[in-house]
Amino acid sequence: MKYATNPFVLLGLVVLAVLFGRVIPAWTLSLATVAASKALVALGIVVLARTGNVSFGQGLFYAGGGYGVALIAHSWGLTDAVAQVLIGAVFGGLLGLIIGPLIARYTGIFFGMLTLALSMVLYGALVKTTVLGGSDGFNVGRPTLFGAVFNDPREADFMLYAVSVVATGLAGIFATILFRSQFGLTSLAVRENNLRVEYLGTSANRIVTINFIIAATFAGASGALALMAQRHIDPEFAYWTTSGEFVFIAVLAGTQSVAAVFISALVLELVRSFSNLYLPNTWQLVLGFFLLAVILFLPRGIGSLWNRKKRTTEAPPEPATAGTGATS
């Protein structure tokens, strides 16, 4: 395995990213936490997109993980951050396990519209459910870490940043290994021609279902991170604009690189923050122009920047032409 994709090297980069949180400004900690949690959902969309399908309804699992954690936190008094992330991942994965086998039969626009419809069904149900706070949602307590309570705002923000970076980083390492595995390469084959995959004796629907469950698990864990960061949850977690933002990040990143997903999420948050600061009435327009620029000049996403360079440097030398053999 190449040095740049060695899991131990990637794990070291995650540790460095956590330590870097000690020296960056406090406002950057909050921004990086949000970016990491959104990157986790977008990473799931990239995993799924490698099969040729795009989900426009990841808010379904994002909200499912968040509401599942919030209910357990209220019922059992659970406040541990790591446990909440794991529970959110379980709730998202269970939803994916239920929906995945049914929706894997569809492809293309039908796949995307069905996921969007299911997400909006959940949104409507949450708005009408008064037990869950209706359209206002409800608040949750301050998260802890292994029993430690963080009363200092800077330490509390750093704890959430560290948990978000570690969770997203571990998911990124898993995705890196997955993309280079036989299963990951088969996912690309499904995208190119699922009928040929069936002829080889592998179920294309099963491949799509597994990728769908992975994406749902990532989204559920991200919903738990967002819940802890905001200490509030409402039906907007399942709304179509929330799902669209995750697709936005995935489009910016492309499907060629895991690192590009994290960079795209951070860039999006930076563009949003500064455009909202200096152009509060037209910041959505700035985001739109930014996305158009990436689509026009980097149609394969931000990840194509270094992948293109890598392909150029690793290209094999051209074979010698006939008649230019070695002289004796």
Side-chain angles (χ1 to χ4, degrees), residues 100-180:
L102 303 175
I103 207 168
R105 305 173 185 176
Y106 301 91
T107 58
I109 190 64
F110 303 103
F111 185 97
M113 289 298 100
L114 278 172
T115 55
L116 178 60
L118 290 173
S119 179
M120 291 307 296
V121 167
L122 177 63
Y123 171 78
L126 292 174
V127 169
K128 299 297 183 180
T129 306
T130 56
V131 177
L132 299 178
S135 59
D136 295 328
F138 59 95
N139 297 327
V140 295
R142 185 188 300 273
T144 62
L145 184 64
F146 304 129
V149 180
F150 300 88
N151 294 319
D152 181 35
R154 166 77 189 197
E155 292 300 317
D157 289 344
F158 175 74
M159 185 272 290
L160 283 178
Y161 166 83
V163 172
S164 299
V165 169
V166 170
T168 308
L170 292 177
I173 294 172
F174 169 79
T176 301
I177 298 172
L178 179 70
F179 289 172
R180 287 162 174 77

